[in-house]
Structures are given as C-alpha cells and as structure tokens.
Amino acid sequence: MSWLSRVRNGIPFLPKRQSAETLWHKCRKCGTMVFLKEWEDNFHVCPRCDYHDRIGPKLRFEYTFDDGEYELLPSPEVREDPLKFRDSKRYSERLKAARASTNERDALLNARGQVGGRTAIVGAQDFAFMGGSMGIAVGAAFVAGVRAAIEAKAPYILYTAAGGARMQEGILSLMQMPRTTVALAELAEAGLPYIVILTDPTTGGVTASYAMLGDVQIAEPGALIGFAGQRVIEQTIREKLPEGFQRAEYLLAHGMIDMVVPRIELKTRLAALVGYLAPEKKAA
C-alpha cells in the first residue's frame, strides 16, 4: 500500500466517493503533492514553489470582479471553418471537441462587472480551447469587448493566454492582428484605458498584436511570453540565449512590461490602476 493510500484510508470522515485524485494536486513545476483545497484557496498557485497554474476565463472573472460577481457578454456569431480545413482531423471536429471539453464557444470570453467599485469589461483567453489560438471568433470577441467598453465608458482589461494564430484559418487568422489593433485605436480615441495581463503562455501572433499594446502591461510570475520559441530563435541567430529570457521576470528587467504581479495580489492592483486611469467624473 502506498503512503498516499495510507493517508487517505487514515481519514475517518472521508466519503468513499473521494480518492487521492480528488484530494491532492501535483504541482507541474516542483512535483509537490498539495492538498487540493489548499491549492484552490491559494488561487491555483503552488504554496511551495509559487508556480501559477493555468486557469480558465470563469476563474479569472471570479478572481477579478468585486465579490466575484459578473455578467457574461454574448459571444459574436462568426462563420466557422471558412477554409474547410482538414489535417489529421477536420477543423469542424476539432472545434466540436474543444467545445465539449471546455463548455465554451471559443477561446475568448468577455464579462462585465465592478473592479474596485468601477465598471470594467474584462476579457480572458482560454488556453484549454485549442491552445487559446487566435482565429476569427477570437478577433470578433476582442472587438466586441472593446466596443462594450466604449459603450460603458469603462476600461478594457484582458488576460492573454495563447499559442498564437489558429493555423486552420490561415490568412484569416492573421488578419485579426490589424483588426484588433484598429479596435484598440478606437478605445484610445475614446480616452479609455486598456490593461493587459500576460499569463502563461502568451506567444505568436497574439504577442505580436494586442497582447503588447496595453497602456499598462502586467504579467503573472513565471509566465512564458514571446513570439517565436527559444529553439527557433537560437537556430536562426546561431547564439545561445540567456536562461529564462522569455519569462516575465526577464522581460520586466529589460523594460518590455511594467510589472509582475502574483495572482493573489492582482485584484487589488487592478482596482488601483482602474482608479488611476479611469477615475469617476465629477458631476457638473
């Protein structure tokens, strides 16, 4: 009998339906076994090594909005599989599988609520949905989030998490880069702030467009942030790159981002930023 089974069997009040898998979480970085509840209470961050695990949009919203209360905004309807793409599977089948596993329409969701007592629109990408890849639906959701912010006269806050553009949509996915950039120009023209929180991982065309255009650039500790992978860059320039050169802390030290904020402190920091950048206007 393993030590894990002995611990489990030694807890007299443990319901039979529970098991070691529902009691413990194994940290992906340090391998430490942490009580699941302790890990969840710590915002899905390992209490031993401070590894920030990947989480989905709904947890992002819960951790960001005041009292965890928010209203999901509808996702725009877009044309699916415009290229009728197929590799080892049809693209339509991959979409169906991603929707079944995440219960979401696509990789970017928007929500409206209060952050520090002020209205804000918050978007969050889901890496679990086809690697958070940027396709037509993600571009449309981003534009919808920006326009909702303009309508509400509120800041747009975005959590990025993506492997880049969605290859199954070809050039149409790359067109989302200028499309989202134009939307941000509209937000800036309206005098509203755009705050980006870069999470692990943020790479490819997402990094090359809206992920790095924030008025304030924040990153979670240890987040992988870059365009091409380290191996590709090293093979191109034929030089060895510094250890961790695409991690949040390295980017902060070299001026590419403004701050690295632990998840447990992020809500407070965002509330302060919203207060600074989008203060309530006094009545005339």
Side-chain angles (χ1 to χ4, degrees):
M1 181 183 294
S2 70
W3 69 270
L4 200 58
S5 297
R6 289 197 298 272
V7 170
R8 181 192 62 192
N9 294 338
I11 302 177
F13 55 81
L14 182 64
K16 289 184 178 180
R17 69 176 180 275
Q18 290 190 316
S19 65
E21 289 72 26
T22 60
L23 275 176
W24 299 86
H25 168 77
K26 184 176 180 180
C27 176
R28 292 174 54 193
K29 183 177 180 181
C30 69
T32 300
M33 299 296 289
V34 184
F35 273 114
L36 186 63
K37 189 175 188 309
E38 180 184 3
W39 177 66
E40 291 175 342
D41 289 345
N42 200 43
F43 292 77
H44 295 76
V45 175
C46 176
R48 309 294 187 265
C49 71
D50 199 39
Y51 175 71
H52 284 55
D53 220 323
R54 296 169 184 171
I55 58 176
K58 291 184 179 178
L59 276 176
R60 295 282 182 198
F61 298 150
E62 182 181 330
Y63 293 159
T64 301
F65 289 114
D66 296 349
D67 302 320
E69 297 180 356
Y70 59 90
E71 173 194 358
L72 276 177
L73 301 182
S75 297
E77 293 288 335
V78 299
R79 183 182 175 189
E80 296 182 359
D81 196 9
L83 304 181
K84 304 300 179 184
F85 188 91
R86 179 171 185 169
D87 44 41
S88 59
K89 286 184 180 180
R90 294 182 185 276
Y91 177 36
S92 57
E93 293 175 1
R94 293 190 184 277
L95 283 173
K96 185 177 180 180
R99 287 167 180 164
S101 63
T102 63
N103 292 318
E104 303 299 346
R105 187 71 183 168
D106 214 281
L108 175 59
L109 294 181
N110 291 301
R112 175 176 176 153
Q114 300 287 308
V115 176
R118 292 177 172 84
T119 299
I121 306 298
V122 179
Q125 285 183 265
D126 189 355
F127 192 76
F129 194 107
M130 297 187 69
S133 51
M134 175 183 63
I136 298 172
V138 167
F142 183 92
V143 173
V146 168
R147 289 180 176 166
I150 294 171
E151 183 179 355
K153 296 182 173 57
Y156 188 49
I157 301 170
L158 180 69
Y159 289 90
T160 63
R166 190 169 297 175
M167 59 167 284
Q168 292 88 350
E169 295 183 15
I171 190 64
L172 299 175
S173 66
L174 297 180
M175 287 304 297
Q176 306 314 306
M177 296 170 67
R179 182 184 186 191
T180 53
T181 302
V182 170
L184 288 175
E186 294 176 4
L187 188 70
E189 188 176 348
L192 298 168
Y194 172 50
I195 302 171
V196 181
I197 303 98
L198 303 152
T199 75
D200 184 67
T202 298
T203 60
V206 170
T207 304
S209 56
Y210 58 82
M212 301 304 291
L213 294 176
D215 296 304
V216 180
Q217 299 284 146
I218 305 172
E220 288 192 329
L224 175 67
I225 304 162
F227 180 64
Q230 180 170 344
R231 183 179 61 184
V232 173
I233 298 172
E234 288 180 339
Q235 289 174 348
T236 301
I237 66 175
R238 301 184 185 281
E239 290 184 20
K240 183 69 177 175
L241 294 166
E243 186 67 27
F245 91 106
Q246 286 183 319
R247 295 293 171 176
E249 293 74 12
Y250 186 93
L251 270 62
L252 176 64
H254 289 78
M256 287 193 67
I257 59 177
D258 298 305
M259 60 188 83
V260 176
V261 182
R263 191 175 293 164
I264 197 169
E265 300 174 9
L266 193 52
K267 183 175 182 178
T268 302
R269 190 67 59 89
L270 286 173
L273 285 170
V274 169
Y276 295 149
L277 299 175
E280 292 179 333
K281 294 182 179 179
K282 294 182 180 180

